[in-house]
Amino acid sequence: MFDFALPADVSDEDRYRELVNAADALTEGETDAVANMANLASLIWSFVPKLNWAGFYRMVSDELVLGPFVGRPACIRIPLGQGVCGAAAADGETQLVEDVHAFPGHIACDPASRSELVVPVLRYGEVIAVIDLDSPDKARFSQADARGIEALAARIADRI
Ligand code: SME
């Protein structure tokens, strides 16, 4: 049984350090990528407040394909360069979008989503997946959230 409860007044720095440590502990020694992504999506959902979607898209034959997630059913395939996820995968750069309605080409999977953070997962310099977080709140995500999810991506890149 895993219990990773955080105090209500936790700082972003502590929140993401605890998330990365929990992710490390939960995936250590497990070689099944789907199992690891499923647990990681659940961990993100538990540790990061005010989300309506959290999960993975994997790079498969030069397009993004839906992976394990928490939230409403989502679009399955995203071409490189399309939407927020496709932009992150094409550029290999984190996308922090304060208002998804203002992002050209945003793909609306859940109409409740207002802001979005997408972090590429790189292995040996190649994008192998993206981690996607959606929030129903406008401008939900800060640079601290981006740095925190980037730290998570770096830690789990060889486990998914
Ligand atoms: N909004 C994303 C699509 C994925 S869903 O948010 C789960 C995008 O524009 O790429």
Side-chain angles (χ1 to χ4, degrees):
M1 146 122 189
F2 296 95
D3 184 4
F4 297 117
L6 288 174
D9 61 347
V10 68
S11 68
D12 282 332
E13 192 183 345
D14 288 347
R15 175 189 312 286
Y16 284 105
R17 191 183 55 245
E18 291 299 315
L19 171 57
V20 171
N21 287 341
D24 187 41
L26 202 48
T27 58
E28 187 179 17
E30 177 51 63
T31 57
D32 190 281
V34 173
N36 284 338
M37 285 187 280
N39 267 337
L40 290 165
S42 174
L43 275 186
I44 294 168
W45 185 262
S46 302
F47 275 74
V48 183
K50 297 187 231 160
L51 301 181
N52 62 310
W53 203 93
F56 289 82
Y57 279 88
R58 301 157 299 124
M59 189 76 92
V60 181
S61 303
D62 286 338
E63 67 178 342
L64 290 171
V65 181
L66 183 64
F69 66 93
V70 180
R72 292 181 62 171
C75 42
I76 296 170
R77 293 176 187 270
I78 300 178
L80 273 191
Q82 287 194 17
V84 186
C85 293
D91 300 346
E93 302 280 351
T94 293
Q95 300 287 319
L96 201 168
V97 179
E98 293 195 345
D99 180 359
V100 295
H101 299 316
F103 187 94
H106 167 253
I107 301 164
C109 294
D110 182 343
S113 296
R114 291 302 309 278
S115 57
E116 184 160 0
L117 171 63
V118 182
V119 171
V121 182
L122 290 104
R123 192 191 292 156
Y124 304 122
E126 300 277 318
V127 177
I128 60 163
V130 301
I131 301 174
D132 182 15
L133 277 62
D134 286 25
S135 173
D137 296 352
K138 199 172 165 189
R140 154 69 186 84
F141 302 106
S142 65
Q143 289 298 327
D145 294 297
R147 300 294 89 81
I149 298 297
E150 286 168 355
L152 175 67
R155 183 71 68 92
I156 55 85
D158 60 355
R159 298 181 184 180
I160 67 167

